[in-house]
């Protein structure tokens, strides 16, 4: 039963602390996405990687957020220092690129999310 | 600047009736559209998709309609069931421009009353 896993599922921290969220993509998927869900904005794309290389991180506040893929089985999203406005649910998703000239049925599989609360 | 808009934050429907969820987009480069369903405390799961070469795609009780001239798509659920109660996200991609990147709407909460 292949699925994306995320840890921790919940995190409560104080403003100014570092937060690290981890994601294990589905084996064989070479594209990893980080999303943030807030009440006002819905699902916002923060960053995505293909073959471990960052392709787009334009949605991420660069001064405090960083995303990496140390290896093909682990993606991390760090916030340092964290702020109350970072409180949200952070989702990781993995997938396979759409085949050239054809569309795959499903492009992204989502993990269960990390619910972050910054006090 | 929201490129994908779901203007109805919520929708309430009686069991057995039709649910219609709407989505509008502004980027004419979008050529592939998807609907995701999300239950509380879970990640979104893929529901149904449609490419811009079609105007309708059906999968069981779920049908997605695409009106390219109006830049509008809709998801029809017939008949609606209580288990369909969830948040529904519309998403779009522009394969040539963005590759595998999806742009999501803010979501619509569907409640199906029994």
């Amino acid at each position: 039963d292949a699925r994306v896993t995320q840890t921790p599922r919940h995190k409560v921290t104080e403003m100014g602390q570092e937060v690290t969220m981890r994601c294990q993509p589905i084996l064989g998927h070479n594209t990893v996405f980080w999303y943030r869900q807030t009440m006002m904005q819905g699902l916002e794309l923060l960053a995505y990687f293909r073959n471990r290389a960052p392709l787009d991180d334009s949605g991420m506040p660069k001064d405090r957020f960083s995303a990496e893929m140390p290896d093909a089985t682990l993606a991390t999203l760090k916030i340092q220092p964290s702020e109350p406005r970072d409180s949200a649910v952070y989702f990781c998703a993995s997938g396979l690129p759409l085949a050239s000239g054809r569309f795959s049925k499903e492009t992204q599989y989502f993990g269960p999310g990390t619910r972050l609360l910054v006090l | 600047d929201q490129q994908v808009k779901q203007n109805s934050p919520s929708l309430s429907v009686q069991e057995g009736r039709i649910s219609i969820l709407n989505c509008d987009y502004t980027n004419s480069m979008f050529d592939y559209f998807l609907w995701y369903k999300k239950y509380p405390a879970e990640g979104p799961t893929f529901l149904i998709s449609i490419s811009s070469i079609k105007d309708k795609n059906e999968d069981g009780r779920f049908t997605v309609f695409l009106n390219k001239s109006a830049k509008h798509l809709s998801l029809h659920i017939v008949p609606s069931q209580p288990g369909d109660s969830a948040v529904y996200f519309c998403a779009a991609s522009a394969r040539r421009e963005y590759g595998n990147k999806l742009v999501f709407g803010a979501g619509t909460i569907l409640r199906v009353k029994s």
Side-chain angles (χ1 to χ4, degrees), chain A residues 9 31 33 35 37 40-43 45 48 50 56 58 91 95-108 110-112 115, chain B residues 2 31-32 34 36 38 41-49 51-53 59 87 89 93 95 98-107:
Chain A
R9 292 296 309 275
T31 310
F33 304 80
Y35 290 92
Q37 184 190 11
M40 299 302 294
Q41 298 292 333
L43 276 169
L45 178 67
Y48 82 104
R50 180 164 299 150
D56 186 346
S58 58
F91 290 103
L96 293 171
L98 300 173
S100 176
R102 290 175 10 202
F103 294 102
S104 60
K105 183 179 180 182
E106 180 173 355
T107 57
Q108 299 179 27
F110 282 77
R115 184 173 294 275
Chain B
Q2 278 197 306
D31 57 5
Y32 190 56
L34 308 90
Y36 280 78
K38 183 185 177 305
E42 295 182 10
T45 55
F46 170 78
L47 188 59
I48 193 169
S49 63
S51 76
S52 59
I53 61 174
D59 184 0
V87 180
F89 290 99
S93 71
R95 187 168 52 93
Y98 300 135
N100 209 33
K101 178 176 168 179
L102 295 179
V103 179
F104 282 84

Side-chain angles (χ1 to χ4, degrees), chain A residues 22-97:
Chain A
R22 294 178 176 79
C23 167
Q24 183 172 9
I26 293 173
L27 191 64
H29 283 186
N30 66 351
T31 310
V32 174
F33 304 80
W34 283 105
Y35 290 92
R36 174 169 63 183
Q37 184 190 11
T38 61
M39 291 296 292
M40 299 302 294
Q41 298 292 333
L43 276 169
E44 306 172 78
L45 178 67
L46 297 174
Y48 82 104
F49 294 77
R50 180 164 299 150
N51 297 321
R52 297 175 55 200
L55 285 191
D56 186 346
D57 60 2
S58 58
M60 206 163 65
K62 306 270 191 319
D63 55 339
R64 299 184 298 109
F65 284 58
S66 62
E68 296 178 346
M69 279 201 74
D71 60 61
T73 64
L74 176 65
T76 63
L77 179 67
K78 290 186 180 180
I79 308 174
Q80 168 63 13
S82 58
E83 297 181 1
R85 59 178 168 156
D86 301 329
S87 298
V89 181
Y90 290 81
F91 290 103
C92 172
S94 72
L96 293 171

Side-chain angles (χ1 to χ4, degrees), chain B:
Chain B
D1 177 28
Q2 278 197 306
Q3 298 186 69
V4 177
K5 298 178 184 178
Q6 294 177 255
N7 291 320
S8 297
S10 65
L11 175 68
S12 186
V13 172
Q14 197 67 35
E15 180 180 6
R17 306 294 292 270
I18 184 171
S19 295
I20 300 176
L21 296 99
N22 294 303
C23 178
D24 297 294
Y25 61 96
T26 57
N27 190 338
S28 57
M29 298 295 291
F30 288 146
D31 57 5
Y32 190 56
F33 305 88
L34 308 90
W35 285 93
Y36 280 78
K37 176 179 177 179
K38 183 185 177 305
Y39 291 119
E42 295 182 10
T45 55
F46 170 78
L47 188 59
I48 193 169
S49 63
I50 188 168
S51 76
S52 59
I53 61 174
K54 294 185 175 182
D55 54 19
K56 176 183 174 181
N57 188 27
E58 192 171 351
D59 184 0
R61 296 185 297 114
F62 302 91
T63 303
V64 57
F65 295 92
L66 175 63
N67 182 335
K68 288 192 295 292
S69 60
K71 294 192 176 67
H72 176 83
L73 65 154
S74 60
L75 174 68
H76 292 211
I77 307 173
V78 182
S80 302
Q81 299 174 354
D84 296 329
S85 298
V87 180
Y88 288 80
F89 290 99
C90 170
S93 71
R95 187 168 52 93
R96 272 197 309 275
E97 188 175 21
Y98 300 135
N100 209 33
K101 178 176 168 179
L102 295 179
V103 179
F104 282 84
T108 296
I109 300 170
L110 174 65
R111 295 186 186 90
V112 180
K113 299 176 289 186
S114 55

